[in-house]
Amino acid sequence: MLSIIIPSRNEKFLVPTVNELLNNARGEIEIIVVLDGYWTELPNDPRVKIIHRGEARGMRNAINSAVAIAKGEVIMKIDAHCMVSEGYDLALTKDLEPDWVAVPRRH
């Protein structure tokens, strides 16, 4: 499974990003969104998990908190204002080996 971490703070494109990730996934995923110091409604999908911080604690804390509850064998951190291609999850995980770090590129 791929765990997708999204730290966010007042991100106006967060919901479209989450929808893009959900719609274009072809394998098993979970999306962990950290709402750092604000609240917004997110898609009602069992693959979406929310960590809500009433007061902002910063990006590093948000990422660490999300990774602590992640259940996937592979973790992907993404900004809250991104687009992904269809099958991004399978393409990302197919050639990875244990303890590798992959850096995405834009085409």
Side-chain angles (χ1 to χ4, degrees):
M1 175 175 27
L2 174 64
S3 294
I4 303 163
I5 309 300
I6 308 176
S8 66
R9 187 168 178 187
N10 299 321
E11 290 280 356
K12 68 180 182 178
F13 296 113
L14 175 62
V15 172
T17 297
V18 171
N19 284 328
E20 179 96 354
L21 291 163
L22 291 170
N23 293 334
N24 288 329
R26 296 299 170 254
E28 187 180 2
I29 65 164
E30 70 174 348
I31 301 172
I32 304 170
V33 178
V34 182
L35 300 173
D36 196 29
Y38 81 111
W39 179 257
T40 191
E41 294 296 324
L42 292 169
N44 184 17
D45 187 294
R47 298 173 290 175
V48 177
K49 296 167 180 53
I50 301 169
I51 298 174
H52 178 239
R53 306 282 192 208
E55 292 186 27
R57 298 184 192 175
M59 185 183 301
R60 185 177 305 256
N61 182 279
I63 292 169
N64 289 340
S65 297
V67 169
I69 67 166
K71 297 195 178 356
E73 298 85 34
V74 177
I75 296 174
M76 170 182 164
K77 184 266 181 193
I78 191 169
D79 291 336
H81 50 262
C82 293
M83 297 174 66
V84 295
S85 62
E86 182 177 339
Y88 69 92
D89 54 324
L90 300 180
L92 175 68
T93 59
K94 76 175 185 167
D95 294 326
L96 287 181
E97 300 212 9
D99 299 324
W100 276 20
V101 174
V103 179
R105 296 186 306 197
R106 186 170 78 170
H107 294 286

